[in-house]
Amino acid sequence: MAYKDYYDVLGVSRGASDADIKSAYRKLAKQYHPDKNAGDEKAAEKFKEIGEAYAVLSDPEKRKVFDQFGHTGQVPPGYQGGGFQGGDFGGFDGSQFSDFFQGLFGGAGRRGGAGFQGGAQVNLEDLLGGGLGGVGQSRRFVQNVEGELQVTLEEAFSGSDEVINVDGKRLSLRVPAGTRDGARLRLAGQGPGGGDVLLTIRVLEDARFDLDGDHLTTSVDVPAPVAALGGDVTVQTLSGKGNLSVPPGSSGGRRMRLRGQGWPKKDGTRGDLYVRLNVTVPATLSDEQKELYRTLRDLG
């Protein structure tokens, strides 16, 4: 095992107190924690190294062995002080941390076609509370899996039942009606090692609708005669098809409102749906229609 001076790693002197070592570890762990350095391999390696250093220096027996033999990185053959076996210093094998952290930064599965991605992460509060304790401590790491779940605008509007795959485990969840883009869902205790699964909801854009606050906007084609004389047209809403009564003399671009057909609110009510009128004329006209349009043109 390559020699490392763990005092240098934590930036403390060899005479540092336990409190000094713990304080230095917490400061560095905050600085290099994966939550703050996503995708930074150097930070991940430094974070692992900090954990190794603290695991040795926070344990009196391991620190004693390191102080005696750490400059060589080896314990003299046959040494078994403090219950450690011969081998690398103090019986501490850095590979156990390498294996552990490799698991932390690995993938966590996907929900097919939904963009779910995740990597297990150490819970920062648990970590800074002493999660890397020495021999005899039973604290365990809480591993949280974070990822994104993509849903359509209709699914976010009405709510939907989803199934995701996390570390080979299928999990069912309910996306509540009225969920907004960026909302967070937590599946407590469902992650690897009993951690939580934390999902950020991403609502896909829908070419038919624009969402602004609690209100939706869409458009509807209105035949020119209906726009001129008034009449009913069918409007597609997120709840299904609705009816819109177009007043006589309506022009293209006019906005009309369907109350209560917008986005669900927390109080159980809903915003409004605004409909833009798009006045249309036939692409091809019969001779009779042409004559009628000529008459209208001449009258205008």
Side-chain angles (χ1 to χ4, degrees):
M1 172 177 171
Y3 168 69
K4 297 177 184 177
D5 188 331
Y6 286 140
Y7 290 101
D8 286 346
V9 170
L10 295 183
V12 297
S13 68
R14 289 187 171 271
S17 66
D18 292 343
D20 291 336
I21 290 173
K22 189 171 185 178
S23 176
Y25 163 70
R26 289 186 174 185
K27 180 179 179 180
L28 291 171
K30 288 181 179 179
Q31 180 180 350
Y32 292 100
H33 192 275
D35 284 349
K36 295 184 178 180
N37 301 275
D40 189 334
E41 294 183 2
K42 290 184 178 180
E45 185 63 29
K46 182 69 174 178
F47 185 65
K48 180 179 73 172
E49 188 177 60
I50 293 165
E52 293 178 5
Y54 183 70
V56 172
L57 299 184
S58 64
D59 181 88
E61 287 295 331
K62 289 182 180 181
R63 183 178 180 182
K64 179 179 178 181
V65 174
F66 180 78
D67 287 344
Q68 288 182 270
F69 309 111
H71 65 286
T72 65
Q74 293 289 323
V75 177
Y79 177 79
Q80 297 184 5
F84 301 124
Q85 302 299 316
D88 42 16
F89 56 79
F92 175 77
D93 179 4
S95 66
Q96 61 183 300
F97 280 87
S98 298
D99 293 341
F100 176 75
F101 280 94
Q102 184 179 2
L104 286 184
F105 300 116
R110 297 176 64 89
R111 170 195 179 222
F116 176 78
Q117 301 176 355
Q121 299 180 356
V122 179
N123 179 282
L124 189 57
E125 284 188 18
D126 189 56
L127 178 64
L128 300 184
L132 284 172
V135 173
Q137 296 189 20
S138 60
R139 290 190 65 131
R140 66 180 178 86
F141 285 95
V142 176
Q143 302 178 42
N144 292 336
V145 174
E146 296 194 16
E148 293 186 351
L149 178 65
Q150 295 180 349
V151 297
T152 65
L153 188 68
E154 287 180 306
E155 289 172 334
F157 175 83
S158 302
S160 66
D161 295 311
E162 306 290 341
V163 176
I164 61 175
N165 190 314
V166 178
D167 199 28
K169 181 180 178 182
R170 290 172 61 84
L171 302 176
S172 298
L173 65 131
R174 175 70 181 174
V175 176
T179 296
R180 305 275 184 163
D181 183 73
R184 302 264 287 179
L185 296 181
R186 178 189 297 269
L187 303 180
Q190 297 298 304
D196 297 341
V197 177
L198 306 172
L199 294 175
T200 300
I201 303 299
R202 293 302 176 197
V203 180
L204 300 174
E205 293 185 0
D206 190 311
R208 301 169 301 169
F209 299 93
D210 292 323
L211 176 62
D212 182 11
D214 297 322
H215 306 304
L216 289 162
T217 299
T218 190
S219 61
V220 64
D221 289 341
V222 179
V226 175
L229 303 175
D232 293 340
V233 294
T234 300
V235 178
Q236 182 65 49
T237 75
L238 284 175
S239 302
K241 293 183 177 180
N243 186 69
L244 178 67
S245 183
V246 179
S250 295
S251 58
R254 179 174 181 172
R255 280 179 27 125
M256 301 186 65
R257 179 168 60 178
L258 292 177
R259 295 182 182 275
Q261 293 297 316
W263 202 256
K265 301 180 183 180
K266 292 182 178 180
D267 62 4
T269 63
R270 283 164 52 177
D272 299 329
L273 172 64
Y274 289 90
V275 183
R276 287 190 299 265
L277 304 186
N278 179 31
V279 178
T280 63
V281 296
T284 59
L285 297 172
S286 67
D287 291 340
E288 183 179 3
Q289 288 173 323
K290 290 179 181 178
E291 185 61 32
L292 290 172
Y293 272 107
R294 290 191 190 99
T295 300
L296 289 173
R297 181 191 60 190
D298 294 341
L299 289 174

